[in-house]
Amino acid sequence: MILQLHNRFEGYTPYEVLSTSASYREVYIAKDDSGGDVCLTVYDLNAMPDFSNNDRILEFEIIPKLTSDVLPTHISHGHYTEEGKSLRWMVTKYVGRTTLSDLLCIGYPQDLSDALHQFYQLLVGVKEISLRIGDGCHNNLSTDNIIISDEGDGELTWH
């Protein structure tokens, strides 16, 4: 694990590992100073493969520029170096962890026109990512990684 859970890090307190996609990248759910939940993504630059360019993490370059409501909302980022550690980190808004797969398994009762509108909004977001990458694409779009949030008004939003 890159960070110790429940220990303050750069103004945030990670309390749960949300995902580990490589030995050098982890995503945590953390608390901010107001007690709200955020996503904290951390890269251990010392553990990154030799062929990678540690100075350039594409995810950290693109996310702060995104404008679509269905994409991650950037809050802050930075570089941490201390005690031989070299970490790059970024905080984004936490939207929840319910996936579209989860909702479909319990008989997601959404009408077709709303579902098509949500899917269209998601495709607009994917198009924005593709344009920012420079003719890249999102190769892993599935019901398992489409997150559904409820902003408190009863309306579900796909992310």
Side-chain angles (χ1 to χ4, degrees):
M1 189 175 320
I2 298 172
L3 298 179
Q4 292 296 317
L5 296 181
H6 308 290
N7 287 351
R8 196 156 170 81
F9 174 78
E10 299 293 285
Y12 301 93
T13 305
Y15 67 89
E16 184 179 341
V17 177
L18 189 57
S19 71
T20 301
S21 55
S23 62
Y24 55 86
R25 180 187 183 272
E26 290 182 339
V27 180
Y28 303 86
I29 304 174
K31 294 286 185 189
D32 61 15
D33 286 335
S34 67
D37 289 337
V38 295
C39 278
L40 171 62
T41 303
V42 179
Y43 279 78
D44 181 348
L45 300 182
N46 297 332
M48 289 182 70
D50 292 335
F51 61 84
S52 66
N53 181 353
N54 291 355
D55 294 333
R56 186 165 190 245
I57 298 174
L58 189 58
E59 175 182 7
F60 288 9
E61 292 177 16
I62 292 174
I63 288 178
K65 298 175 185 173
L66 298 176
T67 60
S68 174
D69 292 339
V70 300
L71 299 174
T73 302
H74 175 265
I75 296 172
S76 64
H77 65 275
H79 193 148
Y80 172 87
T81 52
E82 191 174 299
E83 303 168 5
K85 283 188 175 181
S86 183
L87 308 175
R88 297 270 312 269
W89 59 271
M90 180 174 57
V91 175
T92 57
K93 179 181 173 186
Y94 178 71
V95 295
R97 61 169 53 163
T98 301
T99 66
L100 184 54
S101 289
D102 295 337
L103 289 181
L104 291 173
C105 286
I106 61 170
Y108 184 34
Q110 186 174 18
D111 74 339
L112 182 59
S113 65
D114 188 40
L116 288 173
H117 174 72
Q118 291 291 342
F119 187 67
Y120 174 78
Q121 294 299 102
L122 189 65
L123 290 177
V124 169
V126 170
K127 178 181 177 183
E128 181 179 354
I129 290 173
S130 297
L131 292 172
R132 298 226 184 252
I133 290 173
D135 295 327
C137 61
H138 190 306
N139 292 319
N140 192 25
L141 190 59
S142 74
T143 57
D144 291 330
N145 58 27
I146 296 172
I147 306 298
I148 308 296
S149 70
D150 180 351
E151 301 296 324
D153 57 4
E155 294 289 322
L156 300 180
T157 303
W158 297 13
H159 301 273

